[in-house]
Amino acid sequence: SLLTTTVMRPPIILLEKGTVGERGELYVLAQFGLFLFIAIGNVPLVGEAFTSFLGPTLILTGLFFVYKSAADLENNLSPWPVPAERRGSLIIEGIYSYIRHPMYAGSLFGMTGLSLITESVPRLLLTSLLYFVLDAKSDYEEAKLIETYGSQYEDYQKRVQGKFLPPNMNDIFNSQTKL
């Protein structure tokens, strides 16, 4: 006959044989866990930790970085990325011995913390944009610092590799040197 009956079969999910842990189970668990968290709109317990603990901690850390970097700069403090004049020596002590741009790092920490406390995705996106602006500004600033201080600044860049974070965060926490 011209009419044939098609039998619909349920899809078959093939569970590959193999050693547990080598088939990518963690990826699948993470994928479906994130599907669930996105569907319910929150990460139970962790969401509260972000707003109650991590957000304020980042804000306080950011304030500390901004204060400490301003205090270490003393009369070299300026909002401009171009040194107006050579007012003093290159600051490479204190917090500047760990990262080259602690004031920018503090601003990023603070804004990230505020984004988390307010649970604001637009603020978090704007903070991401701020990161790119500060990264570009710091590149420009460093070029001007090389013009002003020459090899002294280039040596400092080699010694202090992190712009906003040290390459190894343990360097800060395990240091015997006072910030």
Side-chain angles (χ1 to χ4, degrees), residues 55 58-59 107-117 123-124 127:
L58 285 171
I59 289 174
S107 299
L108 291 168
F109 285 143
M111 295 301 104
T112 301
L114 180 63
S115 300
L116 294 175
I117 286 175
R123 277 192 178 115
L124 196 56
T127 300

Side-chain angles (χ1 to χ4, degrees), residues 57-78:
T57 300
L58 285 171
I59 289 174
L60 292 174
T61 301
L63 289 171
F64 170 76
F65 273 49
V66 169
Y67 168 77
K68 183 63 176 140
S69 60
D72 287 349
L73 283 174
E74 295 177 344
N75 66 341
N76 289 328
L77 182 62
S78 169

Side-chain angles (χ1 to χ4, degrees), residues 11-134:
I12 299 173
I13 298 174
L14 297 175
L15 297 177
E16 297 291 323
K17 292 182 181 179
T19 306
V20 174
E22 293 181 1
R23 299 177 296 185
E25 291 89 347
L26 289 178
Y27 292 114
V28 174
L29 182 64
Q31 172 189 348
F32 285 101
L34 287 170
F35 285 165
L36 175 65
F37 297 149
I38 291 168
I40 63 174
N42 193 2
V43 179
L45 300 176
V46 174
E48 290 297 316
F50 279 142
T51 58
S52 301
F53 177 74
L54 187 57
T57 300
L58 285 171
I59 289 174
L60 292 174
T61 301
L63 289 171
F64 170 76
F65 273 49
V66 169
Y67 168 77
K68 183 63 176 140
S69 60
D72 287 349
L73 283 174
E74 295 177 344
N75 66 341
N76 289 328
L77 182 62
S78 169
W80 313 117
V82 177
E85 59 185 64
R86 193 169 181 165
R87 289 180 269 191
S89 62
L90 180 64
I91 306 300
I92 59 175
E93 304 288 321
I95 198 167
Y96 286 89
S97 66
Y98 297 98
I99 54 177
R100 297 193 311 267
H101 298 279
M103 194 169 293
Y104 298 161
S107 299
L108 291 168
F109 285 143
M111 295 301 104
T112 301
L114 180 63
S115 300
L116 294 175
I117 286 175
T118 59
E119 299 179 16
S120 173
V121 173
R123 277 192 178 115
L124 196 56
L125 292 173
L126 288 169
T127 300
S128 298
L129 182 61
L130 177 64
Y131 168 80
F132 290 109
V133 168
L134 293 177

Side-chain angles (χ1 to χ4, degrees), residues 16 147 150 154 165:
E16 297 291 323
E147 285 179 20
E154 291 173 327
L165 292 174

